């Protein structure tokens, strides 16, 4: 498990049909966080998180976020 800070710019909702070719027997929904801008942060001497700059953007499967 890892703590991360980011700016969420877009969410993509995909309704996937069954696909026997991919061994996927029932419909499914996938949510993707698209264009997530990572925040560059560090903990100060009081153990509080401080934001410095924005990092690269990337895509995240929202099912993996807790």
């Amino acid at each position: 498990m890892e703590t991360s800070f980011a700016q969420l710019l877009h969410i993509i909702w995909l309704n996937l049909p069954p696909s026997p070719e991919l061994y996927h027997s029932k419909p499914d929904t996938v949510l993707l966080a698209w264009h997530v801008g990572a925040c560059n942060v560090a903990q100060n001497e009081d153990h509080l998180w401080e934001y410095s700059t924005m990092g690269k953007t990337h895509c995240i499967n929202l099912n993996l976020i807790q």
Side-chain angles (χ1 to χ4, degrees):
M1 225 187 248
E2 179 180 318
T3 300
S4 298
F5 297 91
Q7 178 185 24
L8 175 60
L9 301 172
H10 302 282
I11 294 177
I12 296 177
W13 179 306
L14 300 172
N15 289 316
L16 303 175
S19 177
E21 298 86 8
L22 299 175
Y23 305 102
H24 195 71
S25 61
K26 56 185 176 182
D28 198 7
T29 299
V30 175
L31 295 174
L32 298 175
W34 187 254
H35 266 136
V36 175
C39 295
N40 296 321
V41 296
Q43 280 187 305
N44 64 20
E45 60 276 353
D46 297 322
H47 301 287
L48 299 173
W49 293 100
E50 292 183 343
Y51 159 84
S52 59
T53 59
M54 294 300 290
K56 296 180 180 181
T57 61
H58 52 278
C59 180
I60 298 173
N61 181 341
L62 288 176
N63 292 325
L64 301 177
I65 296 176
Q66 186 176 28

